[in-house]
Amino acid sequence: AIGSDLALQGMLVKYATTDGDARSAEGIKDAQKMLNPMWEVERLADPTHLGQSQFKKCINAKFSSDMFSGATREKKREGQKVLSQDVKARCGLIMKKLMTEHAGDTSIIKNHLPKVLEATILCYSGDCSKCSRNSVVCAGGLTN
């Protein structure tokens, strides 16, 4: 609806910052196409919602039965919730640190993220060998 209102006023939108659900950006894009069929709207993800999206994915993920310790299903679910909260917090810290380190330059951040992701996954599995070089939130077991 917002995209249609803007198109009716003759306004073209170049960037649409949305939460994790891309439907609103698609709606704006579709409405803008009515005004100018060649116009492209670029969707920018709101980093605030990134952590919440990661939490939801993790809490709803199907892990192997021995992934989390605990004698009952409730105890294992509690372990999954703790992991999900940690992933959310780490995601927020990573984005905050990268935005600060690179002065908000999303092209640099985008290029750096694959290495950060690889280091983060290895870190969660107990291998911090790439953390000191590629993680922005783990020093690889080093202390100051």
Side-chain angles (χ1 to χ4, degrees):
I2 292 171
S4 296
D5 288 346
L6 293 171
L8 287 173
Q9 295 175 33
M11 298 176 89
L12 291 171
V13 175
K14 181 67 180 160
Y15 302 101
T17 303
T18 66
D19 60 9
D21 182 3
R23 288 181 296 187
S24 54
E26 286 300 315
I28 291 171
K29 184 186 283 188
D30 291 345
Q32 296 288 291
K33 292 281 184 191
M34 289 186 285
L35 184 63
N36 182 338
M38 300 304 291
W39 190 256
E40 289 296 323
V41 177
E42 185 177 340
R43 179 185 170 265
L44 303 176
D46 178 3
T48 304
H49 292 88
L50 184 60
Q52 188 61 30
S53 296
Q54 296 304 314
F55 176 84
K56 287 178 184 177
K57 290 285 186 185
C58 190
I59 199 75
N60 294 320
K62 302 293 184 217
F63 289 100
S64 63
S65 61
D66 60 344
M67 173 71 180
F68 302 101
S69 61
T72 65
R73 189 181 322 180
E74 291 79 23
K75 287 288 185 188
K76 291 180 184 222
R77 187 75 177 154
E78 189 176 304
Q80 186 170 354
K81 183 177 180 184
V82 169
L83 174 64
S84 300
Q85 290 169 329
D86 188 74
V87 168
K88 176 184 176 181
R90 187 178 286 221
C91 183
L93 287 172
I94 288 170
M95 291 307 297
K96 184 176 182 178
K97 182 93 173 184
L98 288 173
M99 292 297 274
T100 301
E101 282 182 8
H102 302 294
D105 188 332
T106 55
S107 61
I108 295 172
I109 293 169
K110 183 178 175 182
N111 289 333
H112 193 62
L113 278 175
K115 290 178 183 176
V116 173
L117 176 62
E118 179 185 13
T120 301
I121 291 170
L122 289 171
C123 183
Y124 271 117
S125 69
D127 177 0
C128 291
S129 62
K130 295 192 177 191
C131 289
S132 63
R133 188 171 54 254
N134 294 321
S135 175
V136 294
V137 296
C138 175
L142 303 174
T143 58
N144 291 338

